[in-house]
């Protein structure tokens, strides 16, 4: 930090408050800007959300030339806390502990082709090479490696504790933990004990546990959880859960379970009928738990591996939430099956400092990494050049863009911004998937530029046909190919009468195959409503075929109709987001 700021606290206060007012005006809160003071609450008085605070963090660090603590955005509730952090920056002379990620090994373990469960996979890898590092876990001040042998041993300790506490086969266990070693011990421990793990996103504000539990209670009730594994303040959560879920046995920590030190009997534990209960995004109002079998997951992992041509020396990098299908199945379990090292850090760290994602790819020589479109946009717009000096992204051969609509402007911005850092345009891979298909459903061919289909806007919005636009049409729409169905899956696109559509005609995408869930947990009505009479699952998404590939358009329930024209909300959001003075990602249609 510059000496002016160090020697003049009043100046720091003045400049920070001015910076805050500027941001509030830009995001359309001029009245809140007039209420700015050192003691004003970011949430209550100024109406700032978590992403707004991330934007404030980026601007603050650039303005004062400081690197603030990662937790500042979640712990400091007033401008006074931020000013104090700026003034204190640099006073701690203790060097931070580092963690060196070794380069990926080229002696891969044999593919577990005959494995029938995820536990089979973990056990085989642990027996073949117990000291091989599976997870490189990056933490605030360093990191650590988790080997296959350690993971299996710790999972056994958790499993024995669960069974000693009365867990029965097919009981559901909620795992409410942040990204960390305990999450992975709990995940496989529940499986080993014969339970079904239910990953649930953890609270980010420990001071608001009661509000958080009330928000999550619908999911926990739908899952019929028998136990909850959470963090050290689990007592508070457990008490609230017992009031709402009297059938639940207990709330415990991983340390509690390991401390029981019980012994499993000699008889082999029979795994649960389901491997994982995954709640779909947007399910807080009407929870829908997708029950996935070991066969579903293994089929998807094998198909994804084939699609990305897994090879010795591959390495995975992820900041994605470990309770999401793309983060858990598409990254953590994918790396497990193919015995690839995976470098992992928390979503909050990415949101606060998106450059950590690119730095982790550089440091680990990561070759495979996935994220939703907004993450590529965040990197293209918000990463200061000085934070990524010297990084080399030439190792990144597959950058999966999935989980939300792929935007042409984002693809161009990200590619242009990081081309000089070694990123290849051919690495960007727009894909499509959903929890009901385990995670992946369609993927395009490798080593080609993303295929953007430019179509006539008027014809598409009025006639639901994707007619190619002329090269001179500046108003054309662009949809990216998400390729063809992965191995073991079939896809059809149907019109409103249930008939297959013609080439370039919009319809509802339905699918079936080896990776498809058998249904929603304890919800036969939703399961029946999602299926056609001949067994195809309705994705709820709109798409069209062109030249043998699929182009995704959006949710079937979302289109906005205006004067006979139908458009997706994300098109409106993208257009408004480009206007002067609008912060990208702050528009909702």
């Amino acid at each position: 930090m510059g000496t002016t700021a160090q020697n003049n606290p009043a100046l720091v206060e003045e400049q920070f408050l001015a910076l805050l007012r500027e941001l509030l005006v830009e995001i359309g809160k001029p009245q809140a800007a007039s209420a700015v003071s050192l003691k004003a609450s970011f949430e209550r008085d100024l109406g700032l959300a978590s992403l707004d605070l991330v934007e404030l963090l980026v601007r603050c660090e650039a303005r004062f030339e400081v690197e603030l603590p990662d937790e500042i955005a979640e712990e400091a509730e007033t401008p006074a806390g931020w000013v104090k952090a700026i003034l204190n920056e640099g006073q701690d002379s203790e060097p931070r502990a580092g963690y060196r990620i070794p380069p990926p090994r080229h002696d891969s373990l044999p593919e577990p082709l005959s494995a029938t469960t995820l536990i089979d996979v973990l056990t085989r890898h642990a027996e073949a090479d117990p000291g091989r590092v599976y997870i490189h876990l990056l933490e605030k001040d360093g990191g650590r490696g988790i080997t296959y042998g350690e993971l299996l041993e710790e999972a056994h300790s958790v499993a024995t504790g669960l069974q000693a506490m009365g867990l029965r086969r097919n009981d559901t266990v909620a795992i409410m933990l942040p990204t960390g070693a305990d999450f992975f011990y709990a995940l496989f421990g529940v499986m080993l004990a014969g339970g079904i793990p239910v990953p649930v996103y953890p609270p980010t504000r420990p001071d608001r546990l009661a509000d958080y539990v009330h928000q999550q209670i619908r999911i926990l009730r739908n899952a019929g959880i028998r136990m909850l594994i959470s963090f050290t303040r689990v007592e508070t959560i457990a008490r609230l859960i017992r009031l709402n879920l009297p059938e639940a046995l207990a709330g415990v920590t991983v340390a509690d379970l390991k401390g029981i030190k019980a012994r499993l009997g000699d008889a082999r534990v029979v795994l649960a009928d389901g491997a994982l209960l995954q709640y779909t995004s947007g399910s807080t109002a009407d929870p829908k738990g997708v029950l996935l079998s070991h066969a579903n997951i293994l089929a998807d992992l094998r198909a994804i591996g084939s699609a990305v041509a897994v090879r010795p020396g591959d390495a995975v990098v992820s900041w994605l939430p470990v309770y999401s299908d793309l983060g858990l199945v598409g990254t953590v379990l994918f790396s497990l099956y193919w015995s690839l090292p995976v470098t992992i850090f928390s979503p909050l760290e990415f949101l606060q400092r998106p450059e950590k994602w690119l730095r982790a790819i550089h440091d680990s020589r990561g070759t495979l990494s996935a994220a939703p479109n907004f993450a590529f946009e965040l990197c293209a717009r918000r990463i200061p050049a000085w934070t990524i000096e010297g990084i080399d992204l030439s190792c990144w051969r597959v950058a999966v863009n999935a989980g939300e609509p792929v935007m042409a402007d984002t693809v161009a911005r990200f590619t242009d911004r990081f081309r000089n850092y070694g990123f290849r345009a051919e690495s960007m891979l727009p894909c499509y998937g959903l929890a009901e298909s385990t995670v992946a459903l369609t993927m395009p061919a490798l080593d080609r530029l993303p295929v953007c289909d430019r179509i006539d806007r008027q014809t598409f919005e009025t006639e639901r046909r994707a007619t190619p636009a002329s090269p001179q049409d500046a108003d054309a729409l662009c949809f990216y190919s998400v390729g063809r169905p992965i191995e073991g899956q079939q896809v059809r696109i149907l019109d409103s009468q249930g008939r297959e559509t013609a080439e370039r005609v919009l319809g509802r995408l339905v699918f079936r195959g080896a990776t498809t869930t058998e249904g929603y947990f304890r919800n036969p009505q939703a399961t029946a409503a999602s299926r056609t009479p001949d067994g195809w699952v309705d994705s709820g998404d709109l798409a069209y075929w062109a030249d043998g590939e699929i182009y995704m358009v959006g949710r079937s329930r979302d289109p906005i109709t205006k004067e006979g024209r139908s458009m997706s909300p994300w098109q409106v959001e993208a257009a408004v987001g480009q206007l002067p003075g609008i912060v990208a990602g702050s528009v909702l249609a």
Side-chain angles (χ1 to χ4, degrees):
M1 184 170 64
T3 56
T4 302
Q6 287 177 328
N7 298 329
N8 195 337
L11 182 59
V12 172
E13 292 179 5
E14 177 185 339
Q15 292 180 346
F16 179 79
L17 294 179
L19 194 68
L20 179 55
R21 291 188 188 98
E22 179 183 300
L23 174 62
L24 286 165
V25 170
E26 283 190 25
I27 63 176
K29 297 179 182 291
Q31 290 182 330
S34 64
V36 166
S37 70
L38 286 175
K39 295 183 179 180
S41 165
F42 286 122
E43 182 179 0
R44 185 179 62 254
D45 301 325
L46 305 181
L48 289 176
S50 57
L51 284 179
D52 299 324
L53 294 177
V54 171
E55 176 68 22
L56 180 62
L57 178 67
V58 172
R59 297 186 184 196
C60 186
E61 292 186 330
R63 173 63 184 82
F64 295 102
E65 298 180 357
V66 298
E67 183 172 339
L68 296 175
D70 289 347
E71 60 271 15
I72 185 73
E74 55 178 312
E75 293 184 357
E77 298 184 1
T78 66
W82 284 57
V83 169
K84 181 179 179 181
I86 295 169
L87 292 170
N88 290 340
E89 188 275 334
Q91 292 185 7
D92 184 2
S93 59
E94 290 296 321
R96 292 186 175 185
Y99 174 70
R100 180 181 174 275
I101 305 172
R105 296 168 56 169
H106 290 265
D107 58 334
S108 58
L109 295 174
E111 180 187 351
L113 286 169
S114 61
T116 58
T117 71
L118 294 166
I119 296 302
D120 285 344
V121 175
L122 174 58
T123 302
R124 293 183 190 196
H125 291 340
E127 291 175 348
D129 193 348
R132 182 184 289 249
V133 175
Y134 163 35
I135 297 171
H136 297 292
L137 183 61
L138 303 186
E139 298 165 328
K140 288 182 180 179
D141 295 329
R144 56 167 298 191
I146 301 175
T147 65
Y148 289 110
E150 176 191 351
L151 179 56
L152 183 59
E153 181 180 352
E154 296 290 344
H156 268 294
S157 295
V158 171
T160 56
L162 288 169
Q163 290 201 323
M165 293 188 69
L167 188 75
R168 302 166 306 193
R169 182 172 179 267
N170 288 326
D171 279 349
T172 51
V173 180
I175 303 175
M176 192 181 288
L177 291 167
T179 301
D182 279 357
F183 176 89
F184 304 111
Y185 301 157
L187 177 74
F188 292 100
V190 172
M191 291 184 194
L192 275 166
I196 302 174
V198 187
V200 182
Y201 77 85
T204 56
R205 296 290 298 270
D207 58 324
R208 297 183 181 175
L209 291 178
D211 292 341
Y212 165 81
V213 171
H214 287 305
Q215 292 169 0
Q216 295 301 302
I217 206 67
R218 289 175 62 87
I219 287 178
L220 299 176
R221 184 178 291 122
N222 178 265
I225 66 161
R226 292 281 288 166
M227 298 185 72
L228 167 77
I229 303 175
S230 193
F231 49 96
T232 52
R233 295 191 63 179
V234 72
E235 295 83 3
T236 303
I237 297 178
R239 184 169 61 252
L240 293 167
I241 286 177
R242 280 195 293 270
L243 294 174
N244 292 276
L245 299 169
E247 69 276 14
L249 290 174
V252 294
T253 67
V254 167
D256 293 335
L257 294 168
K258 291 164 58 178
I260 293 175
K261 299 187 182 303
R263 294 179 61 87
L264 289 176
D266 294 333
R268 176 183 173 88
V269 174
V270 179
L271 301 189
D273 294 330
L276 183 67
L277 183 52
Q278 183 74 55
Y279 277 82
T280 60
S281 58
S283 62
T284 52
D286 183 19
K288 288 194 296 185
V290 177
L291 184 61
L292 298 173
S293 68
H294 288 275
N296 289 150
I297 295 174
L298 291 175
D300 211 55
L301 301 181
R302 287 164 177 150
I304 297 171
S306 176
V308 301
V310 167
R311 62 194 67 170
D314 271 335
V316 180
V317 175
S318 178
W319 52 266
L320 295 168
V322 287
Y323 52 80
S324 71
D325 53 353
L326 187 56
L328 180 54
V329 181
T331 297
V332 174
L333 298 182
F334 171 80
S335 301
L336 171 71
Y337 180 82
W338 292 100
S339 67
L340 304 179
V342 55
T343 298
I344 294 178
F345 61 102
S346 80
L348 185 60
E349 288 186 70
F350 167 75
L351 291 174
Q352 292 171 339
R353 303 185 192 281
E355 63 270 17
K356 286 190 173 182
W357 183 25
L358 307 188
R359 177 65 63 182
I361 291 171
H362 167 87
D363 290 344
S364 67
R365 306 316 295 155
T367 60
L368 310 172
S369 193
N373 189 84
F374 90 87
F376 293 97
E377 182 71 23
L378 195 67
C379 289
R381 287 182 177 272
R382 293 189 179 178
I383 293 180
W386 64 269
T387 64
I388 53 172
E389 290 180 1
I391 69 164
D392 174 19
L393 300 179
S394 62
C395 55
W396 194 359
R397 67 179 187 86
V398 178
V400 170
N401 189 331
E404 60 187 31
V406 179
M407 308 297 290
D409 290 344
T410 297
V411 171
R413 264 192 292 271
F414 186 89
T415 302
D416 291 343
R417 172 79 196 276
F418 298 106
R419 180 180 287 110
N420 291 337
Y421 296 89
F423 183 79
R424 299 181 309 116
E426 295 83 358
S427 297
M428 185 70 72
L429 203 71
C431 300
Y432 171 69
L434 65 169
E436 288 83 349
S437 181
T438 302
V439 62
L441 180 57
T442 70
M443 299 182 72
L446 297 177
D447 298 319
R448 71 175 192 186
L449 292 173
V451 178
C452 179
D453 189 29
R454 298 181 72 256
I455 62 174
D456 181 77
R457 181 185 296 270
Q458 178 72 21
T459 304
F460 183 78
E461 292 179 353
T462 57
E463 301 179 23
R464 297 168 68 87
R465 290 189 295 111
T467 303
S470 68
Q472 296 77 29
D473 186 354
D475 196 37
L477 291 171
C478 173
F479 296 112
Y480 276 97
S481 166
V482 292
R484 297 179 172 85
I486 60 173
E487 291 178 8
Q489 289 294 80
Q490 298 173 278
V491 167
R492 299 169 66 194
I493 297 175
L494 308 179
D495 62 18
S496 57
Q497 280 75 47
R499 301 169 301 196
E500 289 199 58
T501 59
E503 177 98 344
R504 291 189 168 276
V505 174
L506 191 65
R508 295 171 69 95
L509 185 146
V510 299
F511 63 94
R512 67 182 181 187
T515 77
T516 303
T517 177
E518 292 186 3
Y520 297 112
F521 189 68
R522 298 171 60 177
N523 197 337
Q525 293 82 10
T527 299
S530 68
R531 280 164 163 71
T532 63
D534 50 353
W536 293 80
V537 177
D538 189 341
S539 68
D541 289 322
L542 299 173
Y544 63 89
W545 287 99
D547 301 321
E549 300 198 11
I550 298 169
Y551 292 80
M552 300 304 304
V553 172
R555 299 292 294 170
S556 60
R557 294 186 296 272
D558 285 351
I560 299 170
T561 302
K562 176 72 173 176
E563 297 177 349
R565 299 173 64 183
S566 179
M567 62 195 79
S568 295
W570 65 264
Q571 294 173 251
V572 179
E573 294 166 358
V576 176
Q578 300 300 317
L579 296 176
I582 302 297
V583 176
S586 66
V587 182
L588 177 65

